[in-house]
Amino acid sequence: MRLDRFLCELNMGSRSQVRKLVRQGLVTVNGIPAASPEQKIDELSDEIRFRGEKLQYRKFVYYMMNKPQGVVSASRDNAQRTVVSLLGEDAREDIFPAGRLDKDVTGLLLLTNDGELAHRLLSPKMHVDKTYRAVLAHKLSAEDIRRLETGVDIGEERLTLPARVTVLESADADPENAVLLTLHEGKFHQVKRMLQAVDNQVVQLRRIAFGGLRLDPRLAPGAYRALTPEELEILRRSGAERRLPQEDRKSEKNV
Ligand code: URA
């Protein structure tokens, strides 16, 4: 890897800023001032120091974010604020959100540069669970719950896979119709479309769990933190490549 790229990935500055640091002789490679920003280094075995301090390279980074409303789940966007821009100086060029939440949806979002893990977690074959807390326009009837738990028609080729629905008790002073919904798939606007299918509407939506990972309640909207090694391990073990029996239902849309 080129030295200037290495320094950029460690958020030492923009490409032109890190080049300047190298030219000022502030960066050493194995004890010798770097010859040029283009110098090739081995990021795993060479010892790189800045003003004498050893720089530790991290190939992969994993952050849990509490996505706020009004921000798009993208790395870059010409017109709108993105979740990656909220990472501030941790926003390495190669980071992206693993999965999407709609602009108005809040909650747990994983940001990483580990394409392989993200691909696995998002693969429809892996059935990684996602749990949402949804505030609804109306109370769900027992029949609505039965339908959501067996599969509803959201205009796709197949009915949705069975979801798990838990109705949350609301306090007298706060009579919101809140439910927890756990899905084993992740179609576009899926929760909103499932609730529409039972003639209801999502008023507010927050993701609270993703593949065994739970949203840290201490994270304010817009805040993020690195995953702990234990959380990363949980994510790595999330999902399993399996075909659920319901996926074989060809077209039961009219039952
Ligand atoms: N379901 C939705 O409708 N929107 C999301 O962002 C996620 C799940």
Side-chain angles (χ1 to χ4, degrees):
M1 170 188 288
R2 272 170 51 151
L3 180 59
D4 53 359
R5 173 156 171 234
F6 171 86
L7 295 170
C8 282
E9 289 199 356
L10 287 182
N11 298 309
M12 303 285 299
S14 64
R15 191 56 71 107
S16 62
Q17 285 167 331
V18 302
R19 293 171 73 85
K20 203 160 152 196
L21 299 177
V22 175
R23 292 210 184 88
Q24 286 170 339
L26 300 174
V27 180
T28 57
V29 179
N30 300 325
I32 300 164
S36 80
E38 294 87 23
Q39 180 174 340
K40 287 269 194 256
I41 55 142
D42 181 332
E43 65 277 11
L44 299 178
S45 62
D46 285 338
E47 190 182 270
I48 320 293
R49 288 179 182 262
F50 171 64
R51 291 187 201 272
E53 241 177 78
K54 192 168 172 201
L55 302 178
Q56 204 63 49
Y57 183 65
R58 283 179 304 154
K59 187 167 183 214
F60 293 125
V61 290
Y62 307 88
Y63 297 112
M64 165 195 297
M65 176 180 283
N66 182 0
K67 177 192 171 296
Q69 278 196 338
V71 177
V72 292
S73 298
S75 302
R76 270 166 285 279
D77 191 285
N78 289 335
Q80 311 185 74
R81 269 205 319 157
T82 69
V83 287
V84 169
S85 74
L86 298 180
L87 293 177
E89 58 180 29
D90 288 319
R92 280 166 59 148
E93 256 181 40
D94 54 357
I95 293 190
F96 58 90
R100 282 170 188 273
L101 291 176
D102 299 337
K103 190 171 170 182
D104 62 329
V105 174
T106 62
L108 178 54
L109 195 62
L110 173 70
L111 293 131
T112 183
N113 57 344
D114 184 343
E116 211 174 299
L117 178 67
H119 184 260
R120 217 176 64 78
L121 291 170
L122 299 175
S123 160
K125 286 187 200 149
M126 298 305 287
H127 301 297
V128 170
D129 286 358
K130 296 147 198 100
T131 302
Y132 297 86
R133 182 185 187 279
V135 175
L136 307 178
H138 319 286
K139 255 193 167 60
L140 289 177
S141 68
E143 172 60 9
D144 294 339
I145 295 174
R146 188 197 65 77
R147 290 181 58 204
L148 291 168
E149 289 192 332
T150 45
V152 288
D153 182 0
I154 59 169
E156 302 271 333
E157 194 189 334
R158 292 194 173 89
L159 300 182
T160 55
L161 292 176
R164 208 165 55 235
V165 180
T166 309
V167 176
L168 297 175
E169 294 287 321
S170 57
D172 287 347
D174 177 23
E176 59 176 17
N177 301 309
V179 295
L180 294 183
L181 254 131
T182 300
L183 312 184
H184 314 291
E185 57 190 339
K187 299 216 156 60
F188 186 60
H189 295 330
Q190 182 157 348
V191 175
K192 294 172 186 166
R193 288 160 73 198
M194 286 175 72
L195 271 301
Q196 266 164 19
V198 293
D199 298 318
N200 209 316
Q201 205 187 330
V202 173
V203 177
Q204 210 181 80
L205 191 59
R206 175 156 49 105
R207 183 156 70 185
I208 58 169
F210 176 61
L213 192 66
R214 292 196 70 82
L215 177 63
D216 184 338
R218 290 166 301 188
L219 286 179
Y224 67 94
R225 66 160 173 79
L227 292 190
T228 64
E230 294 76 27
E231 287 171 331
L232 184 55
E233 196 43 43
I234 289 174
L235 260 193
R236 289 212 169 101
R237 281 192 267 110
S238 291
E241 191 163 344
R242 65 200 148 109
R243 207 168 159 74
L244 299 179
Q246 296 83 358
E247 285 178 277
D248 294 327
R249 300 180 307 187
K250 268 277 176 277
S251 183
E252 298 175 19
K253 288 188 162 196
N254 299 321
V255 252

